[in-house]
Amino acid sequence: MSDALDATPYDALLLLSFGGPEGPDDVVPFLENVTRGRGIPKERLKEVGQHYFLFGGVSPINDQNRTLLDALRKDFAEHGLDLPIYWGNRNWAPYLTDTLREMVADGRRRILVLATSAYASYSGCRQYRENLADSLAELAAEGLELPKIDKLRHYFNHPGFLDPMIDGVLQSLADLPEGVRAGAHIAFTTHSIPTASADTSGPVETHGEGGAYVEEHLDVAQLIADAVRERTGIDHPWRLVYQSRSGAPHIPWLEPDICDHLETLHGAGVPAVVMAPIGFVSDHMEVLYDLDTEATAKAGELDLPVRRSATVGDDPRFAAAIRELVLERAAVEIGREVTPCALGALGASHNLCPVGCCPARAPRPAAAGADSPYA
């Protein structure tokens, strides 16, 4: 195998995701996993689970992870990269701890982790690292030899993540009626998070209003808007908006909400809208319900033409980007000179999360960072 396709020192890649229910009986137990420690009554969880019950109690995220796994394995095989890929979830089977136990049994000692979140934030990065630390603690208690774990850098501005989204926005614009297409507004959407979490997202030097979370999304939105203008000759107005708020009403979260934004645009006479879910890797429940169901229904009430562009999913360009990121990190680990691939104003993200990056309210051990107890 060519040195360029040698992932040494890594001997496995772990796809780490959120997980989701795969039937009606799974919904409440899944939500209990997600909310463990918050004291939320089961009856309230049943109410929250109505979004899942509308889709037969099945979240699409697990099937989407399976298709991504297939795409990654196909890409790796076609390019001669001999690196086994495993899959583990935070909140549903296959559970992260079970997968790590399997990897240890298979003799994997140096593991690289791909999280299905492209941006910096507590819930999108550090919480995954905390889950890794929890699982490693369980394996240590069982007397198992612990592997060394690293995490791939944030890939929000990698061309293999951006290009499929650019094509998705262009396709959505083309799907709009010709009479409203030129004046269409692009609403770039991502998951709302508490403003306190946003303000402390990313390394300490990026903390401030919105932190790295907002800054990175704005950079992606600008890159996509610029590419759309270059391809169409039209400078479509756009804004970064939010969806899927789930917190208590008295706690400030990032705004505006997509449905409120649609009402504002309608009141301003905007003729059409493309909703571009740049904050999501695949079409999981937040996309299917909050955009395809709730926001689309709101647009219907307003008689506002709306289209929702595609997420990256299992696009071959995304799979190729992951291969490139794996090889980039492997080269860094063995001391080779590397020019990271990244577009936009922010450049490539850090390989190792520094101390103080995306802190939690209550400090907990987190693996795969500068403050990891499992270095």
Side-chain angles (χ1 to χ4, degrees), residues 259-292:
C259 289
D260 295 338
H261 187 56
L262 292 176
E263 289 188 343
T264 299
L265 293 175
H266 174 67
V270 170
V273 179
V274 168
M275 301 182 294
I278 60 172
F280 305 89
V281 172
S282 62
D283 290 2
H284 51 70
M285 186 56 68
E286 281 86 350
V287 176
L288 290 187
Y289 182 79
D290 296 323
L291 295 184
D292 293 355

mmCIF file of all heavy atoms in Angstrom, residues 259-292:
data_model
loop_
_atom_site.group_PDB
_atom_site.id
_atom_site.type_symbol
_atom_site.label_atom_id
_atom_site.label_comp_id
_atom_site.label_asym_id
_atom_site.label_seq_id
_atom_site.Cartn_x
_atom_site.Cartn_y
_atom_site.Cartn_z
ATOM 1 N N CYS A 259 -39.345 29.184 12.119
ATOM 2 C CA CYS A 259 -40.753 29.513 11.853
ATOM 3 C C CYS A 259 -41.011 31.004 12.046
ATOM 4 O O CYS A 259 -41.736 31.626 11.253
ATOM 5 C CB CYS A 259 -41.670 28.678 12.747
ATOM 6 S SG CYS A 259 -41.725 26.930 12.292
ATOM 7 N N ASP A 260 -40.414 31.600 13.087
ATOM 8 C CA ASP A 260 -40.538 33.052 13.271
ATOM 9 C C ASP A 260 -39.907 33.790 12.099
ATOM 10 O O ASP A 260 -40.425 34.828 11.643
ATOM 11 C CB ASP A 260 -39.868 33.483 14.577
ATOM 12 C CG ASP A 260 -40.556 32.919 15.804
ATOM 13 O OD1 ASP A 260 -41.750 32.560 15.708
ATOM 14 O OD2 ASP A 260 -39.891 32.807 16.857
ATOM 15 N N HIS A 261 -38.801 33.276 11.623
ATOM 16 C CA HIS A 261 -38.102 33.913 10.504
ATOM 17 C C HIS A 261 -38.954 33.874 9.233
ATOM 18 O O HIS A 261 -39.000 34.857 8.477
ATOM 19 C CB HIS A 261 -36.764 33.200 10.281
ATOM 20 C CG HIS A 261 -35.885 33.854 9.264
ATOM 21 N ND1 HIS A 261 -35.487 35.176 9.342
ATOM 22 C CD2 HIS A 261 -35.301 33.364 8.133
ATOM 23 C CE1 HIS A 261 -34.708 35.466 8.319
ATOM 24 N NE2 HIS A 261 -34.586 34.392 7.567
ATOM 25 N N LEU A 262 -39.641 32.755 9.012
ATOM 26 C CA LEU A 262 -40.518 32.669 7.838
ATOM 27 C C LEU A 262 -41.626 33.709 7.906
ATOM 28 O O LEU A 262 -41.979 34.334 6.894
ATOM 29 C CB LEU A 262 -41.106 31.260 7.732
ATOM 30 C CG LEU A 262 -40.132 30.134 7.396
ATOM 31 C CD1 LEU A 262 -40.843 28.787 7.424
ATOM 32 C CD2 LEU A 262 -39.473 30.338 6.032
ATOM 33 N N GLU A 263 -42.180 33.928 9.095
ATOM 34 C CA GLU A 263 -43.212 34.948 9.247
ATOM 35 C C GLU A 263 -42.655 36.340 8.958
ATOM 36 O O GLU A 263 -43.311 37.165 8.300
ATOM 37 C CB GLU A 263 -43.802 34.896 10.654
ATOM 38 C CG GLU A 263 -44.668 33.670 10.915
ATOM 39 C CD GLU A 263 -45.387 33.750 12.251
ATOM 40 O OE1 GLU A 263 -44.976 34.574 13.094
ATOM 41 O OE2 GLU A 263 -46.357 32.985 12.430
ATOM 42 N N THR A 264 -41.443 36.612 9.436
ATOM 43 C CA THR A 264 -40.808 37.905 9.188
ATOM 44 C C THR A 264 -40.570 38.119 7.700
ATOM 45 O O THR A 264 -40.835 39.202 7.154
ATOM 46 C CB THR A 264 -39.473 38.002 9.953
ATOM 47 O OG1 THR A 264 -39.732 37.887 11.357
ATOM 48 C CG2 THR A 264 -38.776 39.327 9.679
ATOM 49 N N LEU A 265 -40.072 37.088 7.030
ATOM 50 C CA LEU A 265 -39.811 37.199 5.593
ATOM 51 C C LEU A 265 -41.098 37.424 4.819
ATOM 52 O O LEU A 265 -41.151 38.244 3.888
ATOM 53 C CB LEU A 265 -39.114 35.929 5.096
ATOM 54 C CG LEU A 265 -37.693 35.680 5.622
ATOM 55 C CD1 LEU A 265 -37.186 34.323 5.148
ATOM 56 C CD2 LEU A 265 -36.741 36.786 5.189
ATOM 57 N N HIS A 266 -42.139 36.703 5.193
ATOM 58 C CA HIS A 266 -43.432 36.879 4.524
ATOM 59 C C HIS A 266 -43.937 38.310 4.699
ATOM 60 O O HIS A 266 -44.409 38.939 3.742
ATOM 61 C CB HIS A 266 -44.442 35.880 5.088
ATOM 62 C CG HIS A 266 -45.823 36.069 4.570
ATOM 63 N ND1 HIS A 266 -46.172 35.848 3.251
ATOM 64 C CD2 HIS A 266 -46.965 36.463 5.204
ATOM 65 C CE1 HIS A 266 -47.457 36.096 3.082
ATOM 66 N NE2 HIS A 266 -47.964 36.470 4.253
ATOM 67 N N GLY A 267 -43.819 38.829 5.924
ATOM 68 C CA GLY A 267 -44.255 40.196 6.178
ATOM 69 C C GLY A 267 -43.465 41.222 5.396
ATOM 70 O O GLY A 267 -43.973 42.309 5.089
ATOM 71 N N ALA A 268 -42.207 40.894 5.065
ATOM 72 C CA ALA A 268 -41.357 41.802 4.296
ATOM 73 C C ALA A 268 -41.536 41.647 2.789
ATOM 74 O O ALA A 268 -40.862 42.331 2.015
ATOM 75 C CB ALA A 268 -39.896 41.583 4.675
ATOM 76 N N GLY A 269 -42.416 40.740 2.387
ATOM 77 C CA GLY A 269 -42.676 40.560 0.960
ATOM 78 C C GLY A 269 -41.706 39.673 0.224
ATOM 79 O O GLY A 269 -41.674 39.671 -1.014
ATOM 80 N N VAL A 270 -40.924 38.883 0.945
ATOM 81 C CA VAL A 270 -39.999 37.949 0.295
ATOM 82 C C VAL A 270 -40.822 36.905 -0.467
ATOM 83 O O VAL A 270 -41.763 36.323 0.084
ATOM 84 C CB VAL A 270 -39.090 37.276 1.335
ATOM 85 C CG1 VAL A 270 -38.302 36.137 0.714
ATOM 86 C CG2 VAL A 270 -38.148 38.306 1.949
ATOM 87 N N PRO A 271 -40.489 36.622 -1.738
ATOM 88 C CA PRO A 271 -41.353 35.760 -2.552
ATOM 89 C C PRO A 271 -41.163 34.264 -2.350
ATOM 90 O O PRO A 271 -42.049 33.474 -2.694
ATOM 91 C CB PRO A 271 -40.983 36.143 -3.986
ATOM 92 C CG PRO A 271 -39.549 36.576 -3.888
ATOM 93 C CD PRO A 271 -39.433 37.251 -2.553
ATOM 94 N N ALA A 272 -40.022 33.825 -1.805
ATOM 95 C CA ALA A 272 -39.756 32.388 -1.654
ATOM 96 C C ALA A 272 -38.551 32.206 -0.744
ATOM 97 O O ALA A 272 -37.741 33.127 -0.564
ATOM 98 C CB ALA A 272 -39.494 31.727 -3.004
ATOM 99 N N VAL A 273 -38.423 30.988 -0.192
ATOM 100 C CA VAL A 273 -37.331 30.705 0.748
ATOM 101 C C VAL A 273 -36.772 29.311 0.480
ATOM 102 O O VAL A 273 -37.528 28.364 0.242
ATOM 103 C CB VAL A 273 -37.821 30.769 2.214
ATOM 104 C CG1 VAL A 273 -36.676 30.454 3.181
ATOM 105 C CG2 VAL A 273 -38.409 32.136 2.532
ATOM 106 N N VAL A 274 -35.447 29.205 0.531
ATOM 107 C CA VAL A 274 -34.776 27.910 0.586
ATOM 108 C C VAL A 274 -34.246 27.729 2.005
ATOM 109 O O VAL A 274 -33.525 28.589 2.513
ATOM 110 C CB VAL A 274 -33.617 27.830 -0.425
ATOM 111 C CG1 VAL A 274 -32.752 26.587 -0.154
ATOM 112 C CG2 VAL A 274 -34.153 27.790 -1.850
ATOM 113 N N MET A 275 -34.663 26.640 2.652
ATOM 114 C CA MET A 275 -34.141 26.303 3.982
ATOM 115 C C MET A 275 -32.965 25.348 3.800
ATOM 116 O O MET A 275 -33.128 24.256 3.253
ATOM 117 C CB MET A 275 -35.230 25.651 4.836
ATOM 118 C CG MET A 275 -36.453 26.517 5.051
ATOM 119 S SD MET A 275 -37.707 25.746 6.121
ATOM 120 C CE MET A 275 -38.221 24.337 5.107
ATOM 121 N N ALA A 276 -31.794 25.768 4.257
ATOM 122 C CA ALA A 276 -30.570 24.980 4.063
ATOM 123 C C ALA A 276 -30.040 24.536 5.414
ATOM 124 O O ALA A 276 -29.445 25.340 6.146
ATOM 125 C CB ALA A 276 -29.523 25.796 3.316
ATOM 126 N N PRO A 277 -30.231 23.270 5.800
ATOM 127 C CA PRO A 277 -29.829 22.786 7.127
ATOM 128 C C PRO A 277 -28.331 22.484 7.219
ATOM 129 O O PRO A 277 -27.910 21.328 7.280
ATOM 130 C CB PRO A 277 -30.676 21.526 7.311
ATOM 131 C CG PRO A 277 -30.908 21.023 5.926
ATOM 132 C CD PRO A 277 -30.984 22.243 5.047
ATOM 133 N N ILE A 278 -27.527 23.535 7.274
ATOM 134 C CA ILE A 278 -26.071 23.370 7.255
ATOM 135 C C ILE A 278 -25.520 22.806 8.554
ATOM 136 O O ILE A 278 -24.378 22.349 8.595
ATOM 137 C CB ILE A 278 -25.362 24.700 6.937
ATOM 138 C CG1 ILE A 278 -25.699 25.770 7.991
ATOM 139 C CG2 ILE A 278 -25.731 25.182 5.536
ATOM 140 C CD1 ILE A 278 -24.890 27.055 7.847
ATOM 141 N N GLY A 279 -26.320 22.825 9.625
ATOM 142 C CA GLY A 279 -25.829 22.341 10.906
ATOM 143 C C GLY A 279 -25.959 20.855 11.113
ATOM 144 O O GLY A 279 -25.579 20.341 12.166
ATOM 145 N N PHE A 280 -26.464 20.126 10.110
ATOM 146 C CA PHE A 280 -26.781 18.712 10.270
ATOM 147 C C PHE A 280 -26.064 17.890 9.201
ATOM 148 O O PHE A 280 -26.058 18.264 8.027
ATOM 149 C CB PHE A 280 -28.289 18.498 10.170
ATOM 150 C CG PHE A 280 -29.063 19.340 11.152
ATOM 151 C CD1 PHE A 280 -29.488 20.618 10.815
ATOM 152 C CD2 PHE A 280 -29.329 18.871 12.427
ATOM 153 C CE1 PHE A 280 -30.182 21.413 11.727
ATOM 154 C CE2 PHE A 280 -30.029 19.648 13.349
ATOM 155 C CZ PHE A 280 -30.450 20.920 12.996
ATOM 156 N N VAL A 281 -25.504 16.771 9.608
ATOM 157 C CA VAL A 281 -24.798 15.904 8.664
ATOM 158 C C VAL A 281 -25.772 15.111 7.805
ATOM 159 O O VAL A 281 -25.512 14.839 6.636
ATOM 160 C CB VAL A 281 -23.842 14.956 9.419
ATOM 161 C CG1 VAL A 281 -23.241 13.901 8.492
ATOM 162 C CG2 VAL A 281 -22.713 15.755 10.078
ATOM 163 N N SER A 282 -26.933 14.737 8.389
ATOM 164 C CA SER A 282 -27.894 13.917 7.630
ATOM 165 C C SER A 282 -29.319 14.325 7.979
ATOM 166 O O SER A 282 -29.545 15.154 8.871
ATOM 167 C CB SER A 282 -27.678 12.427 7.928
ATOM 168 O OG SER A 282 -27.907 12.158 9.304
ATOM 169 N N ASP A 283 -30.280 13.745 7.282
ATOM 170 C CA ASP A 283 -31.697 14.096 7.454
ATOM 171 C C ASP A 283 -32.299 13.361 8.646
ATOM 172 O O ASP A 283 -33.185 12.522 8.500
ATOM 173 C CB ASP A 283 -32.492 13.724 6.194
ATOM 174 C CG ASP A 283 -32.165 14.594 5.012
ATOM 175 O OD1 ASP A 283 -31.297 15.463 5.127
ATOM 176 O OD2 ASP A 283 -32.793 14.398 3.951
ATOM 177 N N HIS A 284 -31.822 13.679 9.856
ATOM 178 C CA HIS A 284 -32.380 12.974 11.009
ATOM 179 C C HIS A 284 -33.627 13.692 11.516
ATOM 180 O O HIS A 284 -34.221 14.518 10.814
ATOM 181 C CB HIS A 284 -31.324 12.729 12.087
ATOM 182 C CG HIS A 284 -30.536 13.928 12.491
ATOM 183 N ND1 HIS A 284 -31.077 14.964 13.199
ATOM 184 C CD2 HIS A 284 -29.238 14.240 12.298
ATOM 185 C CE1 HIS A 284 -30.144 15.870 13.446
ATOM 186 N NE2 HIS A 284 -29.027 15.464 12.911
ATOM 187 N N MET A 285 -34.089 13.371 12.729
ATOM 188 C CA MET A 285 -35.416 13.770 13.159
ATOM 189 C C MET A 285 -35.607 15.280 13.185
ATOM 190 O O MET A 285 -36.677 15.776 12.820
ATOM 191 C CB MET A 285 -35.720 13.166 14.540
ATOM 192 C CG MET A 285 -37.144 13.409 15.013
ATOM 193 S SD MET A 285 -38.391 12.802 13.846
ATOM 194 C CE MET A 285 -38.127 11.029 13.997
ATOM 195 N N GLU A 286 -34.596 16.044 13.598
ATOM 196 C CA GLU A 286 -34.753 17.488 13.628
ATOM 197 C C GLU A 286 -35.022 18.052 12.240
ATOM 198 O O GLU A 286 -35.778 19.003 12.073
ATOM 199 C CB GLU A 286 -33.510 18.155 14.231
ATOM 200 C CG GLU A 286 -33.446 18.109 15.736
ATOM 201 C CD GLU A 286 -32.814 16.819 16.250
ATOM 202 O OE1 GLU A 286 -32.613 15.893 15.448
ATOM 203 O OE2 GLU A 286 -32.530 16.740 17.459
ATOM 204 N N VAL A 287 -34.409 17.464 11.233
ATOM 205 C CA VAL A 287 -34.637 17.926 9.866
ATOM 206 C C VAL A 287 -36.022 17.485 9.386
ATOM 207 O O VAL A 287 -36.794 18.280 8.831
ATOM 208 C CB VAL A 287 -33.536 17.391 8.927
ATOM 209 C CG1 VAL A 287 -33.820 17.773 7.485
ATOM 210 C CG2 VAL A 287 -32.169 17.935 9.358
ATOM 211 N N LEU A 288 -36.368 16.233 9.620
ATOM 212 C CA LEU A 288 -37.648 15.713 9.137
ATOM 213 C C LEU A 288 -38.835 16.391 9.808
ATOM 214 O O LEU A 288 -39.842 16.682 9.151
ATOM 215 C CB LEU A 288 -37.742 14.200 9.362
ATOM 216 C CG LEU A 288 -36.860 13.299 8.509
ATOM 217 C CD1 LEU A 288 -37.216 11.843 8.761
ATOM 218 C CD2 LEU A 288 -37.013 13.617 7.028
ATOM 219 N N TYR A 289 -38.739 16.623 11.123
ATOM 220 C CA TYR A 289 -39.885 17.226 11.808
ATOM 221 C C TYR A 289 -39.834 18.753 11.782
ATOM 222 O O TYR A 289 -40.766 19.411 11.324
ATOM 223 C CB TYR A 289 -39.986 16.735 13.256
ATOM 224 C CG TYR A 289 -41.201 17.327 13.936
ATOM 225 C CD1 TYR A 289 -42.468 16.788 13.708
ATOM 226 C CD2 TYR A 289 -41.092 18.447 14.748
ATOM 227 C CE1 TYR A 289 -43.591 17.356 14.291
ATOM 228 C CE2 TYR A 289 -42.212 19.027 15.329
ATOM 229 C CZ TYR A 289 -43.462 18.475 15.100
ATOM 230 O OH TYR A 289 -44.578 19.048 15.664
ATOM 231 N N ASP A 290 -38.736 19.334 12.268
ATOM 232 C CA ASP A 290 -38.704 20.783 12.439
ATOM 233 C C ASP A 290 -38.703 21.547 11.115
ATOM 234 O O ASP A 290 -39.232 22.662 11.053
ATOM 235 C CB ASP A 290 -37.485 21.182 13.269
ATOM 236 C CG ASP A 290 -37.546 20.619 14.679
ATOM 237 O OD1 ASP A 290 -38.648 20.568 15.246
ATOM 238 O OD2 ASP A 290 -36.504 20.205 15.206
ATOM 239 N N LEU A 291 -38.124 20.967 10.076
ATOM 240 C CA LEU A 291 -38.113 21.640 8.779
ATOM 241 C C LEU A 291 -39.168 21.069 7.826
ATOM 242 O O LEU A 291 -40.046 21.795 7.350
ATOM 243 C CB LEU A 291 -36.724 21.546 8.140
ATOM 244 C CG LEU A 291 -35.596 22.280 8.874
ATOM 245 C CD1 LEU A 291 -34.310 22.189 8.071
ATOM 246 C CD2 LEU A 291 -35.952 23.731 9.150
ATOM 247 N N ASP A 292 -39.085 19.765 7.552
ATOM 248 C CA ASP A 292 -39.979 19.174 6.557
ATOM 249 C C ASP A 292 -41.435 19.152 7.003
ATOM 250 O O ASP A 292 -42.343 19.160 6.164
ATOM 251 C CB ASP A 292 -39.541 17.747 6.223
ATOM 252 C CG ASP A 292 -38.208 17.701 5.502
ATOM 253 O OD1 ASP A 292 -37.678 18.782 5.187
ATOM 254 O OD2 ASP A 292 -37.687 16.605 5.266
#
